[in-house]
Amino acid sequence: MNKNKKSALKVNKGIKQPSSVNKDAVKKIKLRRKQEYSVSDYVEGIIKGDRSILSQAITLIESSLPRHQVNAQEIIKRCLPYSGNSIRIGITGVPGVGKSTFIEAIGKKITEKGSKLAVLAIDPSSERSKGSILGDKTRMEALSTDENAYIRPSPSAGSLGGVARKTRETVVLCEAAGFDTIFIETVGVGQSETAVHSMVDFFLLLMLAGAGDELQGMKRGIIEMADAIAINKADGTNINKANLAKVEYQNALHLYPPKNSNWIPKVVTCSAITNHAIDDIWNMIQDYYKLTNENNYFKNNRREQSKYWMYETINNNLKFNFYNDSNIINKLKLLEQKVLIGEISSFYAAKILLDDYFNYR
Ligand code: GDP
């Protein structure tokens, strides 16, 4: 894989510390790092659009320390009234399809128009370069120096549910900080699309021409979720192939039932390198926004998503607490063994464990 790729999903390697460092400077940095803001400081800073405070608040969301989680939840709660005023766009596609190049191309256009863009990512498999100074620095160079853009890499590796929840909470803070366009990038290889789809208004699938009939390993469900398919790299000698692919996908999309949004999914060709059709894609997203605002789907869908995330969070927390309960940990393996040798049924074993968990907590 190209190491110099620009993507919110990727992090730079850290640089080595020089052998002799200025100890006073290190002390100062440590002191500064230790400075802790109150919840009100965070909320005020976020609403003022202070990026440094926004970043630190997101770090609290990502932290698993109970103390941080308590503060993070309070910050989210207080930011909630200032959030929601944005369009949230999910972008997916297989590695190499050009997601980060595309985000840079369309992102520059968005910020040039005066909008404020936050680029977030969901990559449950990502490995953070732990402890490295530049570990958090992203690689989207043009956007990362753009004062109207804010790029945050994926929360560190963890369960998809956990990583996705943190990203959804991060959206609230970014919106409260004034970002009116939110991109959530994910790698089109697994379950993460479903998670992204459940937190965005518009879902864009990037594809390549001529990459095989089996729709590039994409599950049918992902095509079904898409509000638009953009066949990227429609440039140079690839243009004809891209146009053919466009017809193929248009035909494929006809096979799916109409969407509740009444939006008819579009297939376009584009080039993130030559900027071909990048404006058109942005205009298409505006059209979608207009249509779904008028027919109320936009609002209703967000409400449904909020409900979904409530249940998702309950389910995740129950599961996490159950499997981390010391009593359950002690009994689980024993009962699993009994099920394996056929001494008791799976259902009976589950009942014993669940009864134990709920009765003796
Ligand atoms: P990602 O893994 O999906 O984020 O893909 P990248 O944005 O890193 O792009 C992968 C490679 O494809 C890079 O070498 C890009 O320069 C190249 N690429 C991206 N978009 C285009 C495009 O529209 N046309 C061409 N010819 N190459 C592109």
Side-chain angles (χ1 to χ4, degrees), residues 2 5-7 10 93-102 185 206 232-235 270-274:
N2 181 355
K5 270 168 34 121
K6 298 170 235 152
S7 168
K10 304 288 178 310
V94 292
V97 69
K99 290 181 294 301
S100 31
T101 316
F102 175 85
E185 177 190 1
L206 290 186
N232 192 34
K233 307 200 185 179
D235 46 46
C270 71
S271 168
I273 294 266
T274 68

Side-chain angles (χ1 to χ4, degrees), residues 101 104-106 109 235 270-280:
T101 316
E104 283 232 298
I106 198 166
K109 295 202 178 266
D235 46 46
C270 71
S271 168
I273 294 266
T274 68
N275 270 341
H276 162 67
I278 300 297
D279 271 328
D280 298 341

Side-chain angles (χ1 to χ4, degrees), residues 55-286:
S55 295
Q56 291 176 62
I58 296 172
T59 304
L60 284 187
I61 289 181
E62 293 174 352
S63 164
S64 50
L65 284 183
R67 183 168 55 91
H68 289 167
Q69 271 307 307
V70 169
N71 285 348
Q73 290 310 318
E74 188 59 28
I75 295 166
I76 295 164
K77 194 172 112 194
R78 294 212 214 160
C79 282
L80 210 54
Y82 302 91
S83 73
N85 204 8
S86 72
I87 179 145
R88 305 167 184 161
I89 299 159
I91 297 178
T92 192
V94 292
V97 69
K99 290 181 294 301
S100 31
T101 316
F102 175 85
I103 290 172
E104 283 232 298
I106 198 166
K108 283 310 280 180
K109 295 202 178 266
I110 291 168
T111 58
E112 274 163 17
K113 288 184 192 3
S115 283
K116 289 186 76 190
L117 169 70
V119 182
L120 313 176
I122 292 186
D123 181 10
S125 62
S126 82
E127 280 292 341
R128 275 263 174 111
S129 39
K130 290 190 186 80
S132 61
I133 293 172
L134 297 177
D136 285 351
K137 202 163 155 32
T138 63
R139 290 169 183 257
M140 262 182 228
E141 282 148 30
L143 276 182
S144 59
T145 54
D146 183 332
E147 60 176 31
N148 282 328
Y150 176 77
I151 301 173
R152 181 82 185 186
S154 177
S156 53
S159 74
L160 171 59
V163 171
R165 197 206 75 221
K166 289 169 192 169
T167 303
R168 179 161 157 94
E169 291 175 338
T170 298
V171 169
V172 172
L173 302 199
C174 289
E175 289 174 352
F179 291 94
D180 53 39
T181 310
I182 314 281
F183 281 173
I184 304 179
E185 177 190 1
T186 194
V187 185
V189 287
Q191 285 295 306
S192 49
E193 293 83 2
T194 316
V196 172
H197 184 247
S198 62
M199 64 177 85
V200 296
D201 308 305
F202 187 93
F203 195 64
L204 176 67
L205 175 56
L206 290 186
M207 288 266 191
L208 292 175
D213 279 348
E214 71 289 359
L215 302 173
Q216 298 169 38
M218 295 272 176
K219 290 187 207 89
R220 263 178 63 100
I222 297 170
I223 307 264
E224 195 167 357
M225 281 188 256
D227 293 301
I229 296 177
I231 296 148
N232 192 34
K233 307 200 185 179
D235 46 46
T237 53
N238 212 18
I239 295 179
N240 283 345
K241 262 201 298 185
N243 285 332
L244 282 175
K246 176 177 164 176
V247 176
E248 261 173 46
Y249 286 115
Q250 265 165 344
N251 290 337
L253 280 178
H254 282 312
L255 304 174
Y256 293 102
K259 287 183 174 288
N260 293 339
S261 55
N262 280 344
W263 170 257
I264 299 167
K266 306 280 184 296
V267 185
V268 293
T269 60
C270 71
S271 168
I273 294 266
T274 68
N275 270 341
H276 162 67
I278 300 297
D279 271 328
D280 298 341
I281 293 175
W282 184 236
N283 291 337
M284 174 179 69
I285 295 173
Q286 302 301 307

Side-chain angles (χ1 to χ4, degrees), residues 267-326:
V267 185
V268 293
T269 60
C270 71
S271 168
I273 294 266
T274 68
N275 270 341
H276 162 67
I278 300 297
D279 271 328
D280 298 341
I281 293 175
W282 184 236
N283 291 337
M284 174 179 69
I285 295 173
Q286 302 301 307
D287 289 345
Y288 173 90
Y289 185 64
K290 193 163 173 281
L291 173 91
T292 55
N293 249 316
E294 280 167 6
N295 69 14
N296 273 330
Y297 176 82
F298 193 89
K299 250 195 221 146
N300 290 338
N301 185 45
R302 282 203 173 173
R303 277 199 207 116
E304 284 299 316
Q305 289 179 338
S306 297
K307 191 175 94 181
Y308 169 88
W309 281 98
M310 182 185 97
Y311 285 107
E312 192 61 16
T313 309
I314 293 174
N315 293 346
N316 278 331
N317 283 354
L318 281 176
K319 219 161 132 179
F320 180 84
N321 282 318
F322 177 81
Y323 286 110
N324 285 284
D325 183 285
S326 55

